[in-house]
Amino acid sequence: MVQKCDHFSEEPMTDNIPYTFHPTAVSDDLQKRFGDIEDGTETAEVATIAGRLMLRRVQGKLAFGTLQDSGGRIQLFAPGKVTPNFAEFCELSLGDWIGVTGTVMKTKRGELSVKVESWELLAQAQRPFPDKFHGLNDPDTRYRQRYVDLWVTPESRATFVLRSRVISLIRRWLEDREFMEVETPMLHPIPGGATARPFTTHHNAFDQEFFLRIAPELYLKRLVAGGFERVFEIGRVFRNEGISTRHNPEFTMLELYQAYADYEEIMTLTEELVSYLATELCGSTTLQYGEREIDLSTPWRRASMTELINEQIGADLSVETNIDELRSIAKQHGVEVKDSYGPGKLILEIYEKTTEAELWGPVFVTDYPKEVSPLSRDHRSQPEMTERFETIIAGRELANAFSELIDPVEQRARFEDQVKQKDAGDDEAMVVDEDYLRAMEYGLPPTGGLGIGIDRLVMLLADASTIRDVVLFPTLRPEASS
RNA sequence: GCCCCUGUGGCGCAGCCUGGUUAGCGCACCGGACUUUUAAUCCGUUGGUCGUGAGUUCGAAUCUCACCGGGGGCACCA
């Protein structure tokens, strides 16, 4: 059992805790407004603030505290003669929640403070807070007990504030461009819209298996067929796959669809959106990421997949390269070649093995083989290719987009090819979605679509090396019950 | 799935290689001193089956093995 503070009690302990409290100020706002006043002077301002007591310096008949609230920290100044229940104030534990009212003033040593003229206990910390200087260092504890981490790891709090702003700014930016936010099902009768293994669940009333969505894509395109010309959704998707610094089983996707647009226009939209976010949130289109810089100033490089592979490995391959030669190149680079792989799949494998991680970017990798792009429209000039791109930044995929496939006959053929791949043992391959085909048969206009992994975007903007640092409650093995 | 690293009171760490008296230190907590501190300071306490189990040994936090948790890498994927 964990150690608790001595005042831990099994008895009800909130009898004297008020039901409401109304702060009139936040620490950083007070710092901004009164940070410049003369040392040792008082203002005419009386402020009410609330938060946790994070530090405490009791000196007999005078006590100092450091209160942390949503804005940051501010000192509490508590002279015994002024502060009511002074002894109890001095006995507060680090981590206790209190509300304080008093004059905003500055001590002789120049620390802006609130003089504790009245105060109330709002919650006791029954468990001891982490080391007041070192905080939490164990990542496991930080992720499992985020409620503590957010208090003692300022970067962690800042990251999640940033994440919230990212999503908020994306919404506004898209709405300003006439995009409409929609919500589509998370429970899918058949999984679709991506190649990934789904989670399954069960609906009792229908006695029916459902899948947690792996992508909202097919529903969003139904809406374009339905006449919503510009739609977007920001929401959770679920993929039943491994966990790593770049993968969490549930993650947040932005998907948007714009009728009458092609992938070139989506590239422009993507670079404008991401560079806008960087400017707004980081103050610049140049970001520090780990040891290196990322220059997000537009326009971003656009280069085809085969072009980039050839640059990287000094070859001269294309989708028309003889398949035996492609197989041999793939093997040379350590790709595990399966008999079912056609030229397109081989090219993608070679790209992922040799090139993707080496691209610092930002770069739009364009023109993906048809074989690996079952929802993308045929390239207008390149045979066996589709008008698809992925955006690579820092060696990682940030976005995936295409000129959407709008031909229902072709779509059916692509689905059936996926079914063949599934039968051949690829359990991530797609299945036929008859209703989606029906929607296409009513007519889907030329459409450009985009998916951006919000978590990875936040990683870039927050300079986070692991996705767990940008997900409030990352998926972890459940704690063993003792 | 494979490889490497790691697990010592609530938190941050030392001790482990080179096994040996009651396992240390700092913070928190508890008691005491202190009216301008800033991780306040000073004095004194409380609290630990050293992740779990087995083995080697006269003796294991320390060496060996297995298992469990966590981190990183590879594979796979977004």
Side-chain angles (χ1 to χ4, degrees):
Chain A
M1 198 57 210
V2 297
Q3 181 184 348
K4 292 162 181 144
C5 300
D6 279 9
H7 54 246
F8 181 85
S9 160
E10 300 297 336
E11 298 299 314
M13 49 175 289
T14 59
D15 288 356
N16 297 317
I17 303 289
Y19 283 79
T20 62
F21 190 82
H22 301 292
T24 61
V26 178
S27 58
D28 59 338
D29 186 49
L30 291 177
Q31 300 281 10
K32 245 178 266 162
R33 285 164 64 204
F34 303 108
D36 293 336
I37 66 171
E38 200 87 357
D39 293 358
T41 63
E42 294 193 353
T43 68
E45 182 83 6
V46 173
T48 298
I49 54 174
R52 279 194 202 263
L53 186 70
M54 298 304 281
L55 297 171
R56 195 194 43 191
R57 301 174 286 280
V58 176
Q59 303 192 47
K61 297 195 175 72
L62 175 67
F64 299 89
T66 299
L67 187 86
Q68 185 170 333
D69 64 12
S70 59
R73 292 182 168 196
I74 192 162
Q75 177 163 274
L76 303 176
F77 177 76
K81 284 181 186 160
V82 173
T83 299
N85 302 316
F86 180 71
E88 286 74 24
F89 183 84
C90 293
E91 281 168 13
L92 289 168
S93 291
L94 299 192
D96 284 349
W97 291 79
I98 53 174
V100 172
T101 299
T103 305
V104 178
M105 42 85 67
K106 197 176 253 189
T107 59
K108 286 180 199 169
R109 299 285 178 90
E111 186 74 29
L112 190 71
S113 308
V114 174
K115 196 197 282 182
V116 185
E117 287 155 5
S118 73
W119 67 279
E120 281 187 274
L121 180 67
L122 301 177
Q124 272 189 349
Q126 293 185 330
R127 293 172 185 264
F129 248 55
D131 187 287
K132 64 189 177 190
F133 185 64
H134 297 97
L136 281 175
N137 207 30
D138 177 14
D140 190 43
T141 310
R142 289 188 48 223
Y143 302 141
R144 289 188 196 276
Q145 301 185 31
R146 193 66 94 179
Y147 36 84
V148 179
D149 179 50
L150 290 170
W151 285 100
V152 301
T153 313
E155 311 84 69
S156 185
R157 179 170 290 261
T159 296
F160 292 109
V161 170
L162 176 80
R163 179 177 179 127
S164 173
R165 288 192 186 140
V166 166
I167 291 170
S168 168
L169 286 173
I170 290 172
R171 281 208 166 90
R172 259 189 276 162
W173 194 88
L174 290 173
E175 284 164 357
D176 286 347
R177 285 158 181 75
E178 307 303 324
F179 281 88
M180 180 175 97
E181 182 168 13
V182 295
E183 292 172 281
T184 63
M186 294 213 187
L187 293 177
H188 289 188
I190 48 175
T195 50
R197 203 172 312 170
F199 286 91
T200 60
T201 187
H202 186 263
H203 185 263
N204 288 341
F206 291 174
D207 188 21
Q208 154 98 40
E209 188 175 47
F210 276 91
F211 302 90
L212 301 189
R213 70 177 176 192
I214 54 175
E217 170 150 358
L218 299 184
Y219 283 98
L220 291 171
K221 280 189 277 191
R222 283 173 171 92
L223 293 177
V224 177
F228 289 139
E229 293 171 6
R230 294 184 179 201
V231 292
F232 76 96
E233 181 164 10
I234 295 174
R236 208 69 60 83
V237 299
F238 307 86
R239 298 189 184 177
N240 203 342
E241 285 155 2
I243 292 178
S244 77
T245 51
R246 295 166 286 279
H247 302 86
N248 198 57
E250 50 179 305
F251 62 102
T252 301
M253 279 265 275
L254 161 68
E255 282 203 11
L256 66 83
Y257 293 85
Q258 178 175 344
Y260 322 128
D262 69 358
Y263 79 146
E264 296 274 354
E265 291 177 58
I266 299 297
M267 283 184 231
T268 304
L269 182 152
T270 303
E271 64 192 8
E272 282 178 1
L273 173 59
V274 174
S275 60
Y276 163 77
L277 293 172
T279 306
E280 284 295 303
L281 297 168
C282 307
S284 165
T285 51
T286 305
L287 303 182
Q288 188 69 30
Y289 190 70
E291 303 289 302
R292 292 180 65 180
E293 279 189 349
I294 298 171
D295 178 6
L296 296 173
S297 59
T298 58
W300 298 351
R301 184 181 178 199
R302 303 178 183 196
S304 75
M305 177 180 287
T306 47
E307 192 179 337
L308 290 164
I309 295 172
N310 291 337
E311 259 177 33
Q312 185 66 34
I313 66 173
D316 187 26
L317 57 82
S318 78
V319 78
E320 282 163 335
T321 305
N322 178 287
I323 188 157
D324 291 326
E325 197 181 332
L326 285 175
R327 284 198 178 116
S328 134
I329 294 171
K331 280 180 189 154
Q332 270 172 40
H333 290 91
V335 173
E336 204 181 309
V337 176
K338 292 181 187 156
D339 292 344
S340 58
Y341 289 1
K345 177 70 173 169
L346 287 167
I347 288 172
L348 180 71
E349 291 287 330
I350 293 166
Y351 162 73
E352 287 180 346
K353 195 81 179 182
T354 63
T355 305
E356 185 175 30
E358 305 303 318
L359 298 173
W360 187 253
V363 55
F364 292 115
V365 182
T366 65
D367 303 347
Y368 277 57
K370 210 194 269 201
E371 186 183 346
V372 294
S373 309
L375 302 170
S376 317
R377 188 168 177 179
D378 287 11
H379 199 285
R380 64 194 79 182
S381 58
Q382 305 288 320
E384 291 307 310
M385 289 293 182
T386 61
E387 296 202 351
R388 172 181 174 191
F389 72 82
E390 288 193 357
T391 307
I392 304 297
I393 301 180
R396 293 204 284 259
E397 177 191 339
L398 178 74
N400 182 20
F402 19 95
S403 300
E404 301 296 335
L405 177 55
I406 58 171
D407 179 344
V409 175
E410 172 67 13
Q411 183 67 75
R412 182 176 294 278
R414 302 270 190 96
F415 273 149
E416 278 163 4
D417 183 57
Q418 286 288 308
V419 171
K420 268 183 217 155
Q421 291 182 30
K422 197 171 203 77
D423 292 343
D426 181 355
D427 50 12
E428 290 174 353
M430 293 181 188
V431 298
V432 181
D433 187 332
E434 287 293 344
D435 178 69
Y436 177 63
L437 289 169
R438 180 164 60 190
M440 293 179 83
E441 284 158 9
Y442 277 104
L444 179 65
T447 300
L450 169 69
I452 292 185
I454 296 294
D455 311 84
R456 290 183 178 179
L457 176 61
V458 175
M459 283 173 72
L460 288 178
L461 296 171
D463 191 14
S465 61
T466 163
I467 197 168
R468 295 188 194 95
D469 283 341
V470 303
V471 173
L472 280 165
F473 299 100
T475 305
L476 300 172
R477 203 177 291 276
E479 282 184 279
S481 52
S482 50

